[in-house]
């Protein structure tokens, strides 16, 4: 009887602690931690699983809070500019035909920036919820890359930069042409932003292990190794010339990852400081498809 009572206490005490902590977590308290060394393997496993769950919830909560703070910060800047411009116009600048032009141009620029930010956030939110609608059709990724190269040729020429596509063979994949165009445009915009005048941006399309691999390499300043694991994170900026030029919100590469993963593909980045950066993605080859 004594042994049974002692065993009961050894079991009920940690179970009661887990129940109490679970109630606290359900109320929003994520600072809970239960014992993992009761001497009963099943309870220890339960305690470890519980602590792991709470730690994951805490990380998710911190990530969400940081995301909300970043969104608020990015929204505040264009809204402040728009508000200030409107107030200036109301104070009499509207009647100044010569002076109101730059003010209206500034307001239009900030409005466009705001719309762009909201649209990008919508894409990421839908991707998180698994609600990103894709119009999947057969397409030739090599041809799409050549089309985007031609589209960006004028912009590149202004910087005396050459855009080169290294692949003459079709690479059939299943994808949403509009979304993959958005991916390529984001990557090419980044490459142009950080490439020095007179350099070359190479778009290499290769096949490897039943995957079609698209790599865009610039000749820019490169990215320090410690930043590479987070380069596709939302709002993440490298504290170097790569982040200070362009003034974007830091969502471009996050969108690239979301869209490529929605296609069943993977993203990658390779870079060394002072030696340029290669950013790209891989998509499953669809060898039985006939592309237009």
């Amino acid at each position: 009887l004594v042994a049974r009572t002692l065993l009961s206490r050894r079991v009920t005490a940690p179970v009661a602690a887990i129940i109490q902590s679970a109630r606290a977590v359900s109320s929003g308290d994520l600072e809970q931690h239960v014992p993992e060394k009761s001497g009963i393997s099943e309870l220890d496993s339960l305690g470890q699983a519980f602590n792991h769950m709470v730690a994951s919830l805490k990380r998710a909560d911190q990530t969400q809070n940081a995301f909300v703070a970043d969104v608020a910060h990015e929204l505040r800047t264009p809204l402040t500019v728009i508000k200030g411009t409107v107030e200036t116009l109301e104070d009499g600048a509207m009647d100044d035909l010569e002076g109101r032009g730059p003010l209206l141009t500034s307001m239009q620029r900030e409005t466009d920036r705001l719309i762009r930010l909201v649209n990008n956030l919508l894409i990421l939110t839908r991707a998180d919820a698994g609600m990103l609608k894709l119009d999947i059709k057969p397409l030739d990724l090599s041809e799409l890359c050549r089309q985007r190269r031609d589209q960006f040729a004028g912009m590149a020429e202004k910087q005396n930069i050459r855009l080169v596509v290294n692949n003459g063979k079709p690479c059939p994949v299943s994808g949403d042409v509009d979304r993959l165009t958005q991916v390529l445009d984001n990557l090419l915009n980044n490459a142009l932003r950080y490439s020095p005048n007179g350099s070359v941006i190479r778009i290499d399309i290769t096949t490897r292990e039943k995957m079609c691999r698209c790599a865009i390499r610039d000749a820019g300043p490169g990215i320090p190794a410690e930043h590479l694991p987070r380069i596709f994170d939302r709002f993440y900026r490298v504290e170097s010339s790569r982040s200070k030029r362009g003034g974007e919100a830091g969502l471009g590469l996050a969108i690239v990852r979301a869209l490529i993963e929605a296609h069943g593909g993977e993203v990658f980045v390779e870079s060394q400081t002072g030696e340029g950066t290669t950013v790209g993605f891989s998509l499953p080859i669809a060898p039985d498809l006939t592309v237009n």
Side-chain angles (χ1 to χ4, degrees):
L1 180 60
V2 174
R4 186 184 305 168
T5 301
L6 291 175
L7 179 60
S8 176
R9 288 177 180 174
R10 286 184 61 194
V11 172
T12 56
V15 170
I18 293 174
I19 291 173
Q20 184 178 358
S21 294
R23 288 172 177 165
V25 170
S26 68
S27 299
D29 181 3
L30 299 180
E31 299 299 328
Q32 297 297 309
H33 187 276
V34 299
E36 300 178 3
K37 296 181 180 180
S38 66
I40 301 175
S41 60
E42 291 81 0
L43 290 177
D44 291 345
S45 297
L46 179 60
Q48 292 169 6
F50 181 88
N51 290 333
H52 179 73
M53 177 198 70
V54 173
S56 297
L57 288 173
K58 190 173 181 179
R59 285 194 298 271
D61 186 60
Q62 291 171 343
T63 300
Q64 183 180 20
N65 290 338
F67 181 70
V68 171
D70 285 333
V71 170
H73 174 75
E74 293 296 337
L75 290 173
R76 187 182 301 116
T77 301
L79 288 173
T80 299
V81 173
I82 292 170
K83 182 175 182 293
T85 303
V86 170
E87 290 174 348
T88 301
L89 292 171
E90 288 177 340
D91 287 341
M94 182 63 77
D95 298 327
D96 181 0
L97 297 181
E98 188 173 331
R100 73 185 183 188
L103 290 173
L104 293 173
T105 299
S106 173
M107 189 160 63
Q108 179 66 52
R109 183 172 58 249
E110 294 302 322
T111 302
D112 290 342
R113 177 183 172 189
L114 195 58
I115 292 171
R116 221 167 32 242
L117 176 60
V118 171
N119 287 336
N120 288 341
L121 289 171
L122 280 174
I123 291 174
L124 293 171
T125 302
R126 288 170 180 166
D128 287 344
M131 298 175 61
L132 192 62
K133 295 181 179 179
L134 299 176
D135 184 16
I136 301 295
K137 293 180 180 178
L139 63 94
D140 179 5
L141 187 59
S142 297
E143 177 59 26
L144 184 59
C145 287
R146 286 191 287 270
Q147 291 174 8
R148 302 324 297 164
R149 173 203 59 193
D150 295 342
Q151 186 67 31
F152 278 81
M155 189 186 306
E157 187 176 352
K158 291 179 181 179
Q159 299 176 229
N160 193 26
I161 292 174
R162 285 198 304 129
L163 295 175
V164 179
V165 176
N166 296 320
N167 183 26
K169 299 179 181 179
C171 195
V173 298
S174 295
D176 184 321
V177 65
D178 291 332
R179 294 304 191 187
L180 292 180
T181 295
Q182 187 175 5
V183 166
L184 290 169
D185 288 358
N186 280 353
L187 295 179
L188 286 170
N189 265 316
N190 268 2
L192 283 170
R193 186 177 301 131
Y194 305 119
S195 292
N197 290 349
S199 62
V200 177
I201 295 174
R202 304 186 184 280
I203 309 170
D204 297 318
I205 303 104
T206 56
T207 57
R208 181 184 302 175
E209 298 179 353
K210 298 183 180 180
M211 301 290 283
C212 186
R213 188 176 190 268
C214 175
I216 297 178
R217 177 173 179 78
D218 65 51
I223 303 171
E226 64 269 22
H227 295 288
L228 293 179
R230 297 193 59 194
I231 204 68
F232 291 99
D233 289 356
R234 298 169 193 187
F235 295 110
Y236 187 76
R237 293 186 179 93
V238 179
E239 293 301 325
S240 69
S241 58
R242 285 193 72 92
S243 64
K244 294 176 183 176
R245 295 168 62 183
E248 292 301 319
L251 291 176
L253 291 181
I255 288 174
V256 167
R257 178 169 63 181
L259 293 178
I260 291 300
E261 289 182 349
H263 280 80
E266 298 177 347
V267 294
F268 61 85
V269 58
E270 302 163 357
S271 184
Q272 289 187 357
T273 304
E275 297 185 12
T277 298
T278 300
V279 185
F281 58 90
S282 297
L283 293 174
I285 294 175
D288 297 331
L289 293 179
T290 301
V291 296
N292 296 327

